[in-house]
């Protein structure tokens, strides 16, 4: 299953060979033509594309671990992944070799050699997502796969008041979809929830210690309902407090979502 908010709080030891070299990748990709991050039989995914490139370089299959999964159509500017392999090259050489063997819609932005104990998912301390809306009567055709088109005027001050309610520790059960697996908790700590306008573009930024399945897209869907006047800020707060997905507005489209950054302890990666 592909999820933009796979729970990274659940820590468990992972086995690794200390004789191998750890590699930490920072990855950018346009998700439009991918069936998400995670490998799926018969489908084009980001993880599979990178593992295919790794196999060409090392001459054997190498398992790649992502910081989390992104859905079909979701983009990334700062996805992080890790793998362990025999040390063949410097980070700079691995970066060039991978990009030479990857499709044009995936690029390795950075490659660092790290301890083999580093794990992109289990060592993650938080993430930042951005969501983009094209808020104009007429959509720019160059934003078709990168922004959600909302043609009606939006009440930005009301949306910002609603967004401020999200900051802090909350149970976000109303803003998560069913991931198909058991979760220990739906409580998360939101450190930032902001909305900025630049011309026709509205950019939402969310930073938290972890995200639930489709949490960002569900939050944006609710905030847009506030902006359209369909629900009030007080209604939005009641939805948050209800801790029930059935109380919340529909999910925003995948095309406007970007994984921007993943944070780690200074000494880990």
């Amino acid at each position: 299953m592909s999820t933009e908010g796979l729970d990274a709080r659940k820590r468990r030891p992972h086995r690794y060979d200390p004789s191998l070299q750890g590699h930490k990748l920072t990855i950018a990709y346009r998700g439009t033509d991918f069936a998400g991050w995670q490998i799926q039989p018969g489908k084009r995914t980001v993880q599979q594309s990178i593992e295919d490139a790794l196999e060409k370089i090392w001459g054997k299959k190498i398992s790649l671990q992502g910081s989390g999964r992104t859905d079909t159509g979701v983009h990334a500017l700062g996805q992080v992944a890790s793998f362990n392999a025999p040390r063949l090259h410097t980070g700079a050489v691995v970066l060039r070799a991978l990009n030479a063997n990857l499709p044009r819609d995936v690029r390795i932005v950075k490659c660092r050699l790290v301890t083999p104990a580093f794990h992109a998912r289990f060592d993650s301390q938080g993430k930042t997502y951005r969501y983009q809306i094209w808020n104009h009567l007429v959509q720019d055709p160059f934003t078709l796969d990168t922004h959600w088109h909302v043609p009606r005027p939006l009440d930005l001050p009301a949306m910002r008041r609603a967004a401020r309610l999200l900051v802090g520790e909350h149970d976000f059960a109303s803003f998560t979809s069913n991931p198909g697996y058991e979760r220990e908790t739906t409580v998360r700590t939101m450190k930032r929830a902001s909305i900025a306008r630049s011309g026709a573009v509205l950019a939402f930024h969310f930073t938290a210690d972890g995200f639930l399945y489709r949490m960002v897209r569900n939050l944006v869907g609710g905030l847009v309902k506030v902006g359209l006047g369909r629900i009030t800020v007080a209604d939005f707060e009641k939805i948050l407090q209800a801790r029930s997905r059935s109380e919340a507005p529909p999910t925003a489209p995948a095309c406007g979502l970007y994984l921007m950054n993943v944070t780690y302890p200074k000494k880990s990666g």
Side-chain angles (χ1 to χ4, degrees), residues 16 40 89 133 188 209 228 241:
Y16 62 92
Q40 302 174 60
H89 309 291
I133 287 178
R188 297 291 183 272
D209 61 353
L228 292 171
Q241 295 173 347

Side-chain angles (χ1 to χ4, degrees), residues 171-175 186 238-245 247:
D171 187 331
F172 287 96
S174 293
F175 293 102
T186 50
K238 289 177 183 177
I239 292 169
L240 175 64
Q241 295 173 347
R243 299 189 294 278
S244 171
R245 178 63 193 143
E247 300 293 321

